């Protein structure tokens, strides 16, 4: 396949960026999107130019570092798929592909397609943990947890912190991420005791970072590679309201 | 942070203000529709209803002030939240970006809302303050009286809506209101944490359906009048 790539190039955080056009010839449909970028980069390096910077680590859809907006859609817009797991067979010969970084004020572009997602870490530091040491592995069923609760917590815990939800949202809201991180602990007995403090702290941190507000459009859920449900945002809304009414 | 600050300063707090005032306004919209539909029960019914409202200031003034407060708070939080949303994405995507999964109604809430606000001002001047200059009929609505000496609400509605431009603006505003509600009625339950996986699709469907029923109800009045309903009072 032959493709035309329009890639966002930006020298560093301070410089303005622009789209640069590259031709990618000999793209195999079996390549992943990131492998395709690797091949393009080899050509760029051979010409003695600066390679396109993009984030990646596991390349198997579990770490959440590969953060690119492909043709306007975070991770390329395929159901439950990260950019590293996206195959070139989804594209057609001769297609033009726009490749850009996540766009949100709290995610400044460091270089080309690489953004700084430390804002997510600061939100987790504001409550996304259990304060006590939980010790070694407890006996099975020492703390009875209904299967539904365990499953629900597991669904929330699937969030890999990639930030695609923020990137897709017209308001650059981080609610899906924050809701997943809060709900995953709030649903289990070890986390429940700190529920109020957790939601108040995490929402305060989210606001401080400058993310937008949820208007229930559903874009986040549609692009989330881990299919985190909008229902976790509902849970966060309800838990934050209760914590506020308690006067905490 | 005390509870008042929390409701007016945090992101979720402002969403609660938005949802609660939106709910109150939606309840009013339904009540107002039921009141107005009495026009189809005849001149006597709607004039008696108008007279009842006018002669109970102890009911009508608290309601008016409450509604004004709701509109003010709703618009205030809408504008604040929208400004924050805009600031959260200073650099836009390329032309390849298209809204993903987001309905048209959900993307245009601020615009539909602002036009509704403009409509509310016109509507109050039209039928509450009865400013002659803006009703485009050349009549002074204050002087319309029925045989029992009550304000002739029926004649006012019929003359008011017999102008196609006025009726057209009402239909447009009601269409935008129902677009607003078709997203808002479902969203408010999400914002308040009052739904779950089983109820969410039901609530969203009922919300959209209710919005279009409200639209039908409101639009039926100017459209019927344009089609000749009540024209006997125009002689
Ligand atoms: C009769 C008048 C109105 C009614 C019945 C109404 C109703 C609602 C409802 C029920 C919601 C959902 C609340 C939520 O998201 O939780 C809402 C949201 C909203 N309204 Fe209104 N509204 C009215 C007027 C206005 C006006 C005048 C504005 C002008 C600024 C406005 C702007 C908004 C915005 C921006 C949202 C947020 C959208 C979202 O979060 O999805 N509304 N409205
Ligand atoms: S909620 Fe989904 S899209 Fe958002 S950070 Fe987590 S995994 Fe990524
Ligand atoms: S590189 Fe780890 S999820 Fe894509």
């Amino acid at each position: 396949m032959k493709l035309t790539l329009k890639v966002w190039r930006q020298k560093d955080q301070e410089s303005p960026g622009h789209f640069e056009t590259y031709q990618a010839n000999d793209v195999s449909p079996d390549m992943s999107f990131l492998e395709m970028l690797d091949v393009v980069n080899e050509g760029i390096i051979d010409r003695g130019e600066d390679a396109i910077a993009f984030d990646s680590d596991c390349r198997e859809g579990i770490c959440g570092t590969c953060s690119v907006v492909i043709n306007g859609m975070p991770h390329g817009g395929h159901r439950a798929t990260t950019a590293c797991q996206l195959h070139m067979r989804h594209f057609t010969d001769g297609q033009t592909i726009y490749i850009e970084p996540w766009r949100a004020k709290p995610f400044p572009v460091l270089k080309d397609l690489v953004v700084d997602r430390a804002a997510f870490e600061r939100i987790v530091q504001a409550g996304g943990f259990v304060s006590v040491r939980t010790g070694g592995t407890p006996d099975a069923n020492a703390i009875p947890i209904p299967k539904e609760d365990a499953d629900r917590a597991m669904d929330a815990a699937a969030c890999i912190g990639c930030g695609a939800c923020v990137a897709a949202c017209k308001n650059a809201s981080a609610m899906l991420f924050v809701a997943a991180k809060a709900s995953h602990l709030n649903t289990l007995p070890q986390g429940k005791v700190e529920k109020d403090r957790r939601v108040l702290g995490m929402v305060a941190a989210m606001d401080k970072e400058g993310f937008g507000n949820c208007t229930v459009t559903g874009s986040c859920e549609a692009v989330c590679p881990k299919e985190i449900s909008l229902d976790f945002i509902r849970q966060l809304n309800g838990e934050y309201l209760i914590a506020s009414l308690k006067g905490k | 942070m005390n509870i008042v600050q929390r409701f007016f300063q945090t992101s979720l707090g402002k969403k609660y203000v938005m949802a609660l005032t939106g709910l109150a306004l939606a309840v009013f919209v339904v009540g107002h529709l039921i009141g107005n539909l009495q026009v189809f029960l005849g001149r006597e019914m709607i004039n008696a209803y108008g007279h009842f409202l006018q002669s109970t200031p102890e009911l009508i003034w608290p309601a008016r002030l409450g509604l004004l407060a709701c509109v003010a708070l709703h618009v205030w939080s809408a504008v604040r939240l929208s400004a924050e949303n805009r600031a959260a994405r200073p650099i836009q995507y390329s032309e390849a970006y298209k809204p993903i999964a987001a309905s048209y109604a959900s993307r245009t809430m601020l615009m539909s809302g602002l036009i509704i606000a403009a409509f509310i001002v016109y509507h109050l001047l039209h039928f509450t303050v009865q400013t002659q200059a803006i009703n485009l009929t050349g009549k002074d609505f204050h002087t319309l009286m029925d045989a029992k000496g009550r304000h002739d609400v029926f004649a006012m509605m019929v003359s008011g809506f017999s102008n196609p431009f006025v009726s057209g603006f009402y239909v447009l505003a009601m269409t935008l209101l129902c677009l607003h509600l078709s997203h808002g009625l479902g969203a408010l339950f999400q914002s308040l944490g009052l739904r779950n996986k089983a109820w969410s699709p039901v609530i969203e469907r009922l919300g959209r359906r209710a919005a279009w029923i409200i639209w039908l109800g409101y639009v039926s009045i100017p459209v019927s009048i344009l089609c000749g309903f009540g024209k006997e009072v125009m002689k």
Side-chain angles (χ1 to χ4, degrees):
Chain A
M1 298 202 295
K2 285 189 185 4
L3 298 167
T4 304
L5 307 182
K6 304 228 179 236
V7 185
W8 184 262
R9 300 304 309 261
Q10 182 171 337
K11 197 162 143 280
D12 53 37
Q13 201 172 328
E14 278 70 45
S15 317
H18 64 280
F19 282 99
E20 191 83 53
T21 306
Y22 297 94
Q23 293 303 326
N25 304 323
D26 309 320
V27 175
S28 149
D30 299 328
M31 286 177 175
S32 77
F33 197 83
L34 300 189
E35 282 163 349
M36 183 276 293
L37 284 180
D38 289 336
V39 171
V40 172
N41 266 344
E42 277 165 24
I44 293 176
I45 292 166
D46 283 348
R47 293 198 298 275
E49 294 164 24
D50 196 14
I52 302 164
F54 62 90
D55 264 333
S56 77
D57 188 8
C58 71
R59 298 211 175 190
E60 53 185 13
I62 55 172
C63 74
T65 41
C66 53
S67 47
V68 279
V69 175
I70 303 163
N71 274 341
M73 286 177 286
H75 293 301
H78 286 269
R79 200 170 148 264
T81 308
T82 52
C84 59
Q85 296 285 88
L86 176 69
H87 285 88
M88 294 314 293
R89 58 176 168 268
H90 294 296
F91 299 88
T92 50
D93 192 31
Q95 195 178 347
T96 299
I97 306 175
Y98 279 85
I99 309 171
E100 10 179 5
W102 288 175
R103 294 279 185 216
K105 189 159 137 273
F107 288 163
V109 174
L110 298 176
K111 185 171 168 32
D112 302 340
L113 305 172
V114 178
V115 299
D116 179 2
R117 278 169 295 184
F120 270 9
E121 260 121 77
R122 290 187 289 270
I123 293 172
V124 170
Q125 283 161 9
F129 51 81
V130 170
S131 300
V132 292
R133 286 195 185 280
T134 48
T137 315
D139 281 345
N141 300 330
I143 308 169
I145 299 171
K147 173 86 167 86
E148 300 81 57
D149 292 2
D151 286 349
R152 188 174 168 86
M154 199 62 193
D155 287 347
C159 167
I160 53 178
C162 64
C165 42
V166 175
C169 175
K170 80 176 184 48
N171 311 319
S173 164
M175 281 292 279
L176 194 64
F177 166 77
V178 178
K181 292 295 164 212
S183 302
H184 129 72
L185 298 172
N186 289 353
T187 306
L188 294 172
Q190 297 91 334
K192 230 173 216 159
V193 282
E194 292 178 287
K195 191 153 99 175
D196 294 341
R197 197 192 326 165
R198 174 173 303 115
V199 295
L200 295 176
M202 292 179 81
V203 170
M206 171 182 89
D207 288 357
K208 187 159 159 250
E209 296 294 341
F211 289 103
N213 308 289
C214 177
T215 56
V216 203
T217 67
S219 296
C220 53
E221 183 186 55
V223 299
C224 173
K226 298 296 149 185
E227 304 188 285
I228 303 293
S229 162
L230 224 49
D231 193 52
F232 290 115
I233 298 185
R234 187 276 308 160
Q235 182 177 345
L236 177 64
N237 285 333
E239 287 173 346
Y240 188 86
L241 180 58
I242 289 169
S244 300
L245 292 177
K246 282 184 189 164
K248 297 238 168 133
Chain B
M1 194 183 274
N2 71 34
I3 185 151
V4 178
Q5 286 171 316
R6 181 148 296 137
F7 266 79
F8 289 97
Q9 288 175 8
T10 64
S11 57
L12 294 199
K14 280 173 276 182
K15 286 293 305 192
Y16 300 144
V17 171
M18 187 89 137
L20 291 170
T21 54
L23 178 63
L25 291 172
V27 169
F28 164 76
V29 160
V30 172
H32 190 46
L33 172 61
I34 294 170
N36 292 352
L37 284 176
Q38 294 179 71
V39 70
F40 293 120
L41 301 178
R43 197 173 188 172
E44 172 54 32
M45 277 299 279
I46 190 85
N47 287 2
Y49 171 65
H51 184 71
F52 162 72
L53 292 182
Q54 289 305 322
S55 52
T56 47
E58 67 279 12
L59 268 182
I60 200 154
W61 276 103
R64 281 176 174 168
L65 294 176
L67 284 168
L68 184 69
C70 283
V71 171
L73 286 172
H74 193 81
V75 172
W76 172 83
S77 39
V79 169
R80 288 270 320 263
L81 289 165
S82 303
E84 288 166 13
N85 295 345
R86 210 143 290 175
R89 176 158 299 140
I91 300 174
Q92 299 299 317
Y93 287 110
S94 71
E95 73 238 37
Y97 176 81
K98 290 169 284 321
I100 305 155
S103 68
Y104 181 73
S106 77
R107 288 182 277 123
T108 51
M109 289 299 272
L110 183 65
M111 217 43 211
S112 56
L114 289 174
I115 300 172
I116 296 164
F119 166 77
I120 295 172
V121 173
Y122 178 80
H123 179 53
L124 288 176
L125 290 174
H126 189 209
F127 282 153
T128 307
V129 183
Q130 295 161 22
T131 308
Q132 192 174 351
I134 59 126
N135 71 32
L136 308 184
T137 62
K139 280 186 204 156
D140 182 359
F141 289 167
H142 290 107
T143 61
L144 298 171
M145 291 294 158
D146 69 5
K148 292 187 187 163
R150 297 172 303 200
H151 183 230
D152 197 347
V153 179
F154 188 82
M156 178 172 78
M157 286 167 89
V158 174
S159 1
F161 288 136
S162 54
N163 181 308
F165 292 103
V166 172
S167 282
F169 183 45
Y170 270 77
V171 171
L172 174 75
M174 289 306 105
T175 308
L176 292 173
L177 174 64
C178 294
L179 190 70
H180 198 82
L181 287 177
S182 71
H183 176 69
L185 290 178
L188 84 91
F189 287 90
Q190 169 85 357
S191 299
L192 294 172
L194 296 175
R195 58 189 215 183
N196 61 25
K197 276 191 176 160
W199 279 100
S200 288
V202 180
I203 287 174
E204 293 205 342
R205 199 168 341 109
L206 289 180
R208 279 192 296 272
R209 234 170 254 180
W212 292 111
I213 292 171
I214 292 170
W215 181 83
L216 264 182
Y218 274 112
V219 165
S220 70
I221 300 171
V223 168
S224 310
I225 288 170
L226 280 180
C227 293
F229 172 77
K231 63 171 178 284
E232 64 282 358
V233 300
M234 294 283 283
K235 283 190 255 33

